[in-house]
Amino acid sequence: PVTGGLSQIEMNIYKLIAKNYAVQFYPVHIYDETVIEVNYHKEKFSARGKVVKQIGWRKFYVTAKTKTDDEVTQTLPKVEKGDNVTYKNSELKKSVTKPPERFSASSLVQGMKDIHKYVKNPEVQQQLKDVYGIGTEATRAAIIDDLIKRGFLKFKNKKILQPTEKAFMLIDLLPDEITFPDATAIWEDKLHSMSEGDGTLEEFLAGQVQFTKNLCAKAATAKIKPPEGVTLCPRCKSGVMVKRKRKDGSGEFWGCSNYPNCRMACDDKNGKPNFERGKF
């Protein structure tokens, strides 16, 4: 047999590959989804119902104990837009919420794959769900390694990933278009439309160019709030003052991080820049 002589690990890998290959020959997964939104006392309440009509290829991935949202069956009553509803009862529960767990390297890779869960605009959530996440199976780990090398992430207790002060500062500066994955969903949807003959490459690239120009315009007007203990350069307003040693060994001074574009420099006074004796 083909599997003869395989170790347990090799057998697991073989079954995983075989299963993912076999699903392409199974029928599509079909379900009906209903969403009801009710406005009551200026508050919006929603309920979601989903009934599976044909399990299809998903039978390979569903177990008796664990079911995804696609396998949960919940029937909602048939209603029309504008129908009135009657309040019957409610229940007040007291509970304590827990903050989300910190990412590990492996859970962050999974988070990049399920990036649709973190979109800001719910209207594009389904679009992004069909995109298969940020990066690919081969590049996601490399993206995380690069963030660590650049000083935006660090390990805590050798397992948990934690953002650095540099990362918080960057996120505060960047516009929502960059910090949320919504734009990715829109771009991927346009690429999918192009593959079906709707739109051209030139139109897509022109949109990318305009998007980049808009970001650059926002960057030109961005105001940097330095973290505690860091002093902005009073001359260029974009660099920070960095303590340096004089070449002649006579002591220390402060210079702008944008050197040589900005040549702001001043003496040191008790570990802080002395702008009273500075070169503007």
Side-chain angles (χ1 to χ4, degrees), residues 199-237:
T200 65
L201 177 61
E202 290 73 19
E203 292 174 347
F204 179 79
L205 292 178
Q208 298 296 297
V209 170
Q210 187 59 49
F211 180 79
T212 304
K213 287 182 178 179
N214 292 340
L215 290 179
C216 290
K218 289 184 178 181
T221 59
K223 295 183 179 180
I224 300 176
K225 183 180 180 181
E228 186 177 351
V230 177
T231 304
L232 272 179
C233 174
R235 182 183 179 187
C236 67
K237 307 294 185 182

Side-chain angles (χ1 to χ4, degrees), residues 102 151-152 154 162-174 225 227:
R102 291 281 188 183
F152 294 108
K154 63 181 179 181
Q162 188 173 355
T164 62
E165 187 67 33
K166 183 178 179 180
F168 283 116
M169 184 177 178
L170 179 64
I171 289 296
D172 289 341
L173 286 172
L174 292 175
K225 183 180 180 181

Side-chain angles (χ1 to χ4, degrees), residues 77-128:
K78 185 177 181 180
V79 295
E80 299 291 339
K81 185 175 182 180
D83 285 352
N84 292 323
V85 295
T86 303
Y87 166 80
K88 289 186 176 181
N89 58 61
S90 61
E91 182 181 357
L92 181 63
K93 292 184 178 180
K94 185 177 181 180
S95 60
V96 178
T97 59
K98 294 182 178 180
E101 294 184 358
R102 291 281 188 183
F103 282 112
S104 64
S106 58
S107 64
L108 183 54
V109 168
Q110 185 62 39
M112 295 168 72
K113 185 176 181 180
D114 298 331
I115 198 65
H116 64 278
K117 297 178 180 179
Y118 307 97
V119 298
K120 185 178 181 182
N121 187 346
E123 294 181 1
V124 300
Q125 190 175 55
Q126 186 59 43
Q127 286 179 286
L128 197 52

Side-chain angles (χ1 to χ4, degrees), residues 14-119:
Y14 171 79
K15 288 182 178 179
L16 183 63
I17 296 174
K19 181 176 70 173
N20 281 276
Y21 178 78
V23 296
Q24 65 180 308
F25 301 107
Y26 270 65
V28 296
H29 176 67
I30 301 175
Y31 61 89
D32 290 337
E33 183 176 42
T34 305
V35 179
I36 296 179
E37 291 185 346
V38 177
N39 292 311
Y40 185 75
H41 282 250
K42 298 182 179 180
E43 296 287 346
K44 181 180 288 186
F45 300 88
S46 63
R48 185 182 299 271
K50 185 174 291 185
V51 179
V52 176
K53 296 296 185 180
Q54 178 176 286
I55 188 66
W57 59 271
R58 289 199 67 88
K59 70 179 296 183
F60 278 87
Y61 300 95
V62 180
T63 63
K65 293 183 179 180
T66 59
K67 290 187 177 183
T68 65
D69 291 341
D70 287 348
E71 282 73 53
V72 176
T73 300
Q74 179 178 335
T75 305
L76 295 179
K78 185 177 181 180
V79 295
E80 299 291 339
K81 185 175 182 180
D83 285 352
N84 292 323
V85 295
T86 303
Y87 166 80
K88 289 186 176 181
N89 58 61
S90 61
E91 182 181 357
L92 181 63
K93 292 184 178 180
K94 185 177 181 180
S95 60
V96 178
T97 59
K98 294 182 178 180
E101 294 184 358
R102 291 281 188 183
F103 282 112
S104 64
S106 58
S107 64
L108 183 54
V109 168
Q110 185 62 39
M112 295 168 72
K113 185 176 181 180
D114 298 331
I115 198 65
H116 64 278
K117 297 178 180 179
Y118 307 97
V119 298

Side-chain angles (χ1 to χ4, degrees), residues 234 241 254 263-267 273-280:
M241 300 304 293
W254 291 81
R263 296 180 176 273
M264 172 63 197
C266 65
D267 290 342
N274 182 12
F275 293 121
E276 294 179 0
R277 298 189 59 183
K279 177 184 176 182
F280 288 82

Side-chain angles (χ1 to χ4, degrees), residues 255-267:
C256 180
S257 60
N258 282 336
Y259 178 86
N261 294 326
C262 177
R263 296 180 176 273
M264 172 63 197
C266 65
D267 290 342

